[in-house]
Amino acid sequence: MKLTELVQDMAYTLAAGTLDTDITALEYDSRKVVPGSLFVCLTGFQADGHDYIPKALEAGAAALVVERETAVPSGITVLRVEDSRAALALLASAWFGHPAREMTLIGLTGTKGKTTTAHMLKAILEAAGHKVGMIGTIGALVGQEKVSTKNTTPESYELHALFRRMADAGCSHVVMEASSQGFKLRRTAGIQFDVGVFLNLSPDHIGPGEHESFEEYLQCKSLMFRQCVRGLVNLDDEHTPAVTGQALCPLTTFSMTQAADYRAEDVREERRPGFLGSRFAVSGPMSGAFLLDMPGRFNVENALAALAAADMLGIGREAAAKGLETVQVKGRTQLLPTPGHYTLLIDYAHNAVSMENLLSMLRAYRPHRLICLFGGGGNRSRLRRYDMGEMSAKFADLTVLTMDNPRDEEVEAINEDIKVGLARHDGKYISIPDRAQAIRWVIDQAQDGDIIALIGKGHEEYQEIRGVKHFFSEEQVALDYLAGKKQAL
């Protein structure tokens, strides 16, 4: 492909060489450069691509994209740009033939609920007969095929590679989680979402390697509404006015508490053996009663967002209802089958806000006992551990302290921090550092009417210890132990 074909949508200065250069590959990792590559120099948190120019040239790079003046041998083409990350996104789109333009794109942004809402919307679209791609925290799905990814919103090259794969596989729609880091690092630059959805905002992802402040976090979220055709926003979130203040698209609203274009009301918890869900009514363009196979008001709020987005895309009520009745999200209030009349679930809640939402919701189902099993992440804020301990003590009848991802810290030291928070409400607890052993213990202790929440790991299938990720699936640990108990009967 000629370089001139790749640069049609981007602003640049031709600092050396010619646009008539033949390009054989587009790379931003110097280790992957092959003869004829266009090497894009990205400036990151820990490395600067400009430092690897000699290595890229040695490997045969034919052209470079840089942010600053660079001396190169004759015959090498150099394009100077203001932001090489934005340039990579535009180049990647062109390299893969602009696949995003071939499908309907729905972007979801917010602190909580992106993954759940994405699954709900995917289920609705599939119930309407569409083949759907999905990109987010748990990886990517091309229809039902799972593809591993490194980030919630992948680097722009990988993102457009996924789009091309999805378009070639016949996907008509793509539902993706658009993270604040994705916006900050320009991974979505040049993409136009057909519908952009804002769910909520609360302090998170603030610190080294993430966002410098809450204000920057909010600003990154707001970028969604500068690159979508239509916006859908949650009126119940206090930050919605700030997030949408510079919107360049018309906005549609949804709410659980006030007048909006779409409103959910009359929410009722429904619990029976093997089912923990919600019934609710919706008023607006898509109206009627719906049953959701997931518990809690916050999941109803997610479902309302999915219903509204589906309606804006022309999806009918029948498909919407069918999708919500059948949706399952790995690691998000995921129920596991149990032999007794108790409830066992897995959830990704891993900070105080998400724990409070989850545990307060589970209390609304009036369990005989609410048992919360969790640990804390190593190399992370100790304040988060205190607050998580406080939430568990506030809502749970018993806390089981165990291992999460200790990283470079000792499990016992992490759990001592959690105990500080537990003491704020005199929370009853037991410590079982081995997570598999702890899971087997709570299953043995289960009584009729109990709700047992295994939280913090969610969809993750590893434990990170001293720089090594060891395979660990708490879903599999629980299912294997339950199966063994059943055979023993």
Side-chain angles (χ1 to χ4, degrees), residues 47-58:
D48 185 343
H50 296 79
D51 296 336
Y52 297 91
I53 289 175
K55 184 176 179 180
L57 293 176
E58 183 180 347

Side-chain angles (χ1 to χ4, degrees), residues 145-314:
E145 178 190 359
K146 186 170 183 180
V147 181
S148 296
T149 58
K150 291 183 179 180
N151 302 296
T152 298
T153 304
E155 187 55 77
S156 56
Y157 180 91
E158 284 74 26
L159 182 59
H160 286 280
L162 281 170
F163 287 155
R164 173 44 60 201
R165 188 169 176 176
M166 291 171 178
D168 290 349
C171 292
S172 59
H173 294 70
V174 177
V175 182
M176 66 174 285
E177 299 178 41
S179 69
S180 56
Q181 283 289 298
F183 287 118
K184 178 177 179 176
L185 299 178
R186 305 306 303 275
R187 292 170 183 162
T188 62
I191 293 174
Q192 185 176 59
F193 296 97
D194 293 277
V195 176
V197 184
F198 170 67
L199 299 170
N200 50 64
L201 193 68
S202 56
D204 202 4
H205 303 295
I206 299 168
E210 294 189 281
H211 294 286
E212 296 178 1
S213 64
F214 179 73
E215 289 71 25
E216 183 196 272
Y217 181 44
L218 185 153
Q219 176 62 25
C220 289
K221 291 292 188 187
S222 73
L223 295 176
M224 167 67 80
F225 301 105
R226 301 180 68 82
Q227 57 185 94
C228 61
V229 178
R230 292 177 291 172
L232 174 64
V233 300
N234 183 3
L235 276 188
D236 294 338
D237 191 274
E238 63 177 314
H239 301 292
T240 293
V243 169
T244 59
Q246 296 180 326
L248 299 178
C249 62
L251 301 177
T252 299
T253 59
F254 67 94
S255 172
M256 298 277 288
T257 63
Q258 56 189 301
D261 297 308
Y262 296 85
R263 180 175 177 180
E265 48 201 352
D266 192 23
V267 179
R268 290 172 289 156
E269 296 85 13
E270 185 163 327
R271 184 185 183 191
R272 55 182 184 270
F275 184 88
L276 197 67
S278 309
R279 291 186 181 275
F280 63 100
V282 174
S283 58
M286 181 181 286
S287 60
F290 294 89
L291 175 65
L292 174 64
D293 191 12
M294 297 182 75
R297 284 185 63 87
F298 62 86
N299 277 324
V300 171
E301 185 174 73
N302 294 333
L304 178 62
L307 287 170
D311 189 51
M312 292 169 67
L313 295 168

